């Protein structure tokens, strides 16, 4: 075998090995690889090339198949591995490997329950990061603005006149601070006494706040409205700041004009003179700081305010309406009560009752009859029932822990009532006895009320269960109650004509 033949065989073997390694390492494939195509649209795909990888969670799941122009935007078609199922709400991003590396498409997976994309469908969500050149241009603009600002500050603060004005203003402020320090040191005892009074006043307000959570909720709503107003105020202040920067208005003149600065220095000098007079006890403010009588009067005024707030907070007004459907009569009994509560354990109750049973009155007459020379007496008893007449309640009550005792007028008749509360006052059992007569059983009533919401409750029970007139009946009903702060809120929220 000649040398030329040996060299030729060696070259052929090398070419075969090279072709095999190229096919293995380059994943050489004949025809289009398996998968399905999806596409999306980006505003800018600078640096992204055809064949760039498509990755999810750092793992390649496909490649960029084609890049075309679509309605003035870039349409990127991607060939996705058939084993990977993309959700319709997935998001496509253009990423860069490192600072100057190649660009690729990264896909953020969507929700598991979303429908899956099929071949040829569009991936509607896409994001393009800010280009590095745009970032550098913005940084350059910011640097230019900073340079202009520092130059303006240098011109404004570097002149001898500006430095002299600043020194004068600082000297005046230093003198005023020294005078105020001396004033506070001389009146430390009086100020401590006023602070103690304010602390006591604050504790009383805190106690009132703890007992009035509903008031705080209303206050929070008012604060939210105030926050909205503050937002509008901030917008207005921004407009004012622009006018000040342009030298318009009084404050603009204060910042930009020499004469205004001179007037400010004169004002500071006047304040210094006022502080001196206050320290010497001259004028109204000087007497306020140095006179013990004035401090005593302030203390008495704060004490009076504390007492007034305590008395005002103690009173509560409750309005209660309840409707009871009487099964035997097939009619509704309505009761409207107003409860005045000066203390937590004492209250007065006033109310009206529309009772379908009506108000029962009796009249008995005795007549002497003569017949055949003999006489005998005939008694007649007339019972009148007025179903249109309203009855009224007027009671006084006292609470002992979970038990409430009431006495007075119940449905226009003397009687008493007992209320027993359970479950943080959500469940109430009521027993009432009234309309006591010598010839008939009294009117007895038992009810159970369940407060399922702050304002609404349901009720059920037995009414007049010892009746001799066959008036005993079961009843079902519901009720609603409000207290004074709720009524104030409803009245303030109602539209005005």
């Amino acid at each position: 075998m000649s040398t030329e033949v040996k060299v030729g065989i060696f070259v052929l073997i090398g070419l075969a090995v090279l072709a095999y390694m190229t096919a293995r390492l380059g994943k050489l494939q004949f025809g289009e690889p398996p998968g399905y195509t999806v596409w999306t649209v980006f505003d800018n795909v600078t640096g992204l090339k055809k064949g760039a990888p498509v990755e999810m969670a750092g793992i390649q799941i496909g490649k960029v198949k084609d890049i075309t122009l679509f309605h003035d935007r870039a349409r990127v078609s991607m060939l996705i591995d058939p084993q990977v199922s993309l959700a319709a709400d997935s998001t496509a991003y253009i990423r860069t490997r490192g600072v100057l590396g190649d660009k690729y498409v990264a896909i953020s997976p969507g929700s598991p329950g979303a429908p899956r994309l099929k071949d040829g469908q569009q991936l509607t969500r896409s994001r393009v990061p800010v280009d590095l050149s745009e970032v550098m241009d913005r940084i350059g603009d910011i640097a230019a603005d900073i340079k202009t600002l520092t130059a303006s500050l240098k011109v404004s603060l570097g002149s001898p006149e500006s430095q002299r004005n600043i020194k004068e203003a600082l000297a005046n402020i230093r003198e005023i601070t020294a005078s105020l320090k001396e004033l506070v040191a001389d009146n430390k005892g009086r100020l401590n006494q006023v602070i103690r009074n304010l602390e006591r006043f604050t504790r009383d307000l805190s106690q009132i706040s703890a007992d009035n959570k509903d008031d705080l909720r209303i206050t929070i709503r008012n604060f939210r409205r105030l926050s909205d107003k503050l937002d509008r105020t901030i917008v207005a202040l921004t407009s004012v700041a622009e006018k000040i920067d342009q030298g318009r208005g009084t404050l603009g003149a204060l910042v930009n004009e020499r004469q205004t600065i001179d007037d400010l220095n004169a004002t500071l000098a006047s304040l210094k003179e006022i502080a001196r007079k206050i320290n010497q006890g001259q004028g109204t403010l000087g007497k306020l700081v140095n006179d013990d009588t004035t401090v005593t009067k302030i203390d008495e005024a704060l004490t009076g305010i504390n007492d007034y707030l305590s008395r005002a907070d103690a009173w509560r007004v409750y309005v209660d309406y309840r409707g009871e459907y009487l099964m035997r009569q097939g009619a509704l009994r309505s009761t409207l009560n107003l409860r005045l509560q000066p203390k937590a354990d004492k209250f007065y109750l006033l109310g009206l009752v529309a009772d379908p049973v009506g108000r029962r009155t009796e009249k008995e007459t005795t007549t002497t009859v003569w017949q055949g020379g003999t006489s005998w007496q005939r008694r007649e008893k007339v019972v009148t029932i007025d179903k249109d007449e309203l009855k009224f309640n007027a009671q006084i009550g006292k609470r002992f822990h979970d038990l409430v005792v009431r006495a007075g007028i119940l449905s226009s008749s003397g009687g008493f009532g007992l209320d027993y509360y359970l479950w943080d006052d959500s469940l109430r059992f009521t027993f009432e006895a009234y309309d006591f007569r010598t010839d008939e059983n009294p009117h007895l009533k038992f009810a159970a009320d369940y407060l399922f919401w702050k304002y609404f409750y349901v009720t059920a029970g037995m009414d007049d269960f010892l009746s001799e007139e066959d008036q005993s009946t079961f009843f079902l009903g519901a009720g609603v109650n409000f207290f004074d702060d709720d009524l104030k809120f409803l009245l303030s929220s109602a539209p005005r004509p």
Side-chain angles (χ1 to χ4, degrees):
M1 185 181 294
S2 64
T3 303
E4 290 80 1
V5 174
K6 294 178 180 180
V7 172
I9 293 173
F10 180 76
V11 171
L12 290 176
I13 293 173
L15 291 176
V17 172
L18 180 62
Y20 175 75
M21 295 299 294
T22 302
R24 293 289 295 175
L25 297 177
K27 297 181 180 179
L28 183 62
Q29 204 169 19
F30 297 98
E32 185 174 301
Y36 62 97
T37 303
V38 296
W39 61 278
T40 188
V41 178
F42 294 99
D43 293 332
N44 188 359
V45 293
T46 303
L48 184 66
K49 298 179 180 179
K50 183 178 179 181
V54 178
E55 297 183 359
M56 177 184 288
I59 300 174
Q60 184 173 348
I61 62 171
K63 66 177 182 178
V64 177
K65 182 179 179 181
D66 193 13
I67 303 175
T68 57
L69 193 63
F70 180 77
H71 297 304
D72 298 330
R73 301 178 69 191
R75 171 174 171 165
V76 178
S77 299
M78 297 169 287
L79 184 63
I80 306 300
D81 192 316
Q83 298 180 356
V84 179
S85 179
L86 293 180
D89 59 349
S90 300
T91 306
Y93 301 87
I94 295 180
R95 301 295 191 203
T96 305
R97 300 188 188 279
V99 179
L100 301 176
D102 295 334
K103 292 190 175 182
Y104 65 96
V105 178
I107 296 181
S108 175
S111 57
R116 301 292 152 174
L117 292 175
K118 297 180 180 180
D119 185 49
Q121 290 186 335
Q122 181 185 2
L123 185 61
T124 57
R125 298 184 178 183
S126 61
R127 301 286 187 274
V128 179
V130 180
D131 190 71
L132 184 60
S133 60
E134 295 180 4
V135 175
M136 297 304 296
D137 291 340
R138 293 178 183 178
I139 292 175
D141 295 338
I142 294 172
D145 294 338
I146 293 175
K147 183 178 180 181
T148 304
L149 179 61
T150 53
S152 300
L153 290 175
K154 183 177 180 181
V155 172
S156 300
L157 301 177
S159 62
E161 183 179 0
S162 298
Q163 293 180 359
R164 185 172 60 256
N165 292 334
I166 293 173
K167 290 180 180 179
E168 292 176 359
L170 290 175
N172 291 331
I173 293 173
R174 190 180 298 110
E175 292 178 1
I176 291 175
T177 304
S179 299
L180 291 176
K181 182 178 180 181
E182 182 180 357
L183 179 63
V184 171
D186 293 340
N187 297 275
K188 186 176 181 180
R190 298 186 182 93
L191 291 176
N192 288 335
Q193 184 178 358
V194 173
I195 290 172
R196 286 193 297 270
N197 293 333
L198 290 176
E199 288 177 350
R200 185 175 61 184
F201 179 68
T202 304
R203 284 195 301 270
D204 293 340
L205 288 180
S206 299
Q207 183 64 32
I208 292 173
S209 299
D211 297 337
N212 296 276
K213 295 181 180 179
D214 296 328
D215 297 344
L216 290 177
R217 294 190 185 98
I218 298 174
T219 304
I220 290 173
R221 288 194 291 266
N222 294 332
F223 273 125
R224 289 175 179 170
R225 297 191 186 101
L226 179 60
S227 177
D228 296 337
K229 293 181 180 179
L230 288 177
D231 291 338
R232 293 192 293 270
T233 304
I234 290 173
V235 174
L237 289 176
T238 304
S239 176
V240 172
E242 293 177 355
K243 294 180 180 179
I244 291 173
D245 187 54
Q246 297 172 1
R248 296 159 55 186
T250 304
L251 195 55
L254 175 64
V255 176
N256 296 278
E257 293 184 5
R258 169 61 187 175
Q259 180 62 36
T260 307
I261 295 176
D262 293 339
D263 294 340
L264 178 61
N265 291 331
T267 302
L268 291 174
S270 299
L271 289 175
K272 179 181 178 181
E273 179 65 19
I274 292 172
R276 183 185 62 80
K277 292 181 178 180
I278 292 174
N279 192 29
Q280 294 176 358
Q282 301 179 15
T284 304
L285 191 57
K287 293 180 180 178
L288 176 64
V289 174
N290 295 276
D291 191 359
D292 293 337
T293 304
T294 305
V295 175
T296 303
K297 291 182 178 178
I298 293 176
D299 187 18
E300 293 175 354
L302 291 175
T303 302
I305 292 174
N306 288 333
D307 295 340
Y308 176 78
L309 290 176
S310 300
R311 289 193 301 270
D313 182 67
W315 276 93
R316 283 289 180 269
V317 178
Y318 296 85
V319 178
D320 177 84
Y321 168 80
R322 62 187 292 132
E324 300 169 349
Y325 184 79
L326 306 180
M327 299 298 182
R328 181 181 295 274
Q329 288 76 15
L332 181 69
R333 177 168 58 198
S334 299
T335 304
L336 180 65
N337 287 323
L338 177 67
R339 188 173 70 180
L340 306 175
Q341 185 169 321
K343 296 182 180 180
D345 60 343
K346 183 179 180 181
F347 64 89
Y348 303 96
L349 188 72
L350 301 174
L352 295 175
V353 182
D355 194 346
V357 178
R359 185 175 181 181
R360 184 168 180 258
T361 58
E362 297 180 0
K363 184 178 180 181
E364 184 176 348
T365 59
T366 302
T367 306
T368 302
V369 180
W370 291 86
Q371 187 176 8
T374 61
S375 65
W376 52 276
Q377 291 184 342
R378 182 177 60 191
R379 294 184 179 181
E380 295 181 352
K381 184 177 181 181
V382 179
V383 179
T384 305
I385 298 177
D386 188 354
K387 294 188 176 182
D388 295 329
E389 184 176 354
L390 289 176
K391 301 179 182 180
F392 66 92
N393 296 326
Q395 307 167 32
I396 184 172
K398 176 72 174 179
R399 180 162 184 167
F400 304 92
H401 300 289
D402 293 332
L403 178 65
V404 174
V405 179
R406 295 180 282 115
I409 298 177
L410 286 76
S411 296
S412 300
S413 177
F416 67 93
L418 300 175
D419 301 318
Y420 190 77
Y421 290 89
L422 294 173
W423 299 346
D424 196 19
D425 290 358
S426 296
L427 180 62
R428 180 179 65 180
F429 294 101
T430 299
F431 174 77
E432 293 180 348
Y434 56 93
D435 197 10
F436 293 95
R437 299 173 182 269
T438 57
D439 55 342
E440 293 184 6
N441 294 328
H443 190 124
L444 303 182
K445 175 183 176 183
F446 177 78
D449 300 343
Y450 177 66
L451 185 69
F452 63 90
W453 194 44
K454 177 182 177 182
Y455 303 108
F456 299 96
Y457 62 90
V458 293
T459 182
M462 186 74 177
D463 184 58
D464 201 6
F465 51 83
L466 294 182
S467 173
E468 298 178 354
E469 302 292 334
D470 199 21
Q471 295 292 334
S472 62
T473 178
F474 289 98
F475 65 86
L476 293 174
V480 59
N481 55 42
F482 296 97
F483 64 97
D484 46 6
D485 289 333
D486 296 324
L487 296 174
K488 292 177 184 177
F489 175 75
L490 292 174
L491 293 175
S492 62
S493 302
R496 298 181 180 179

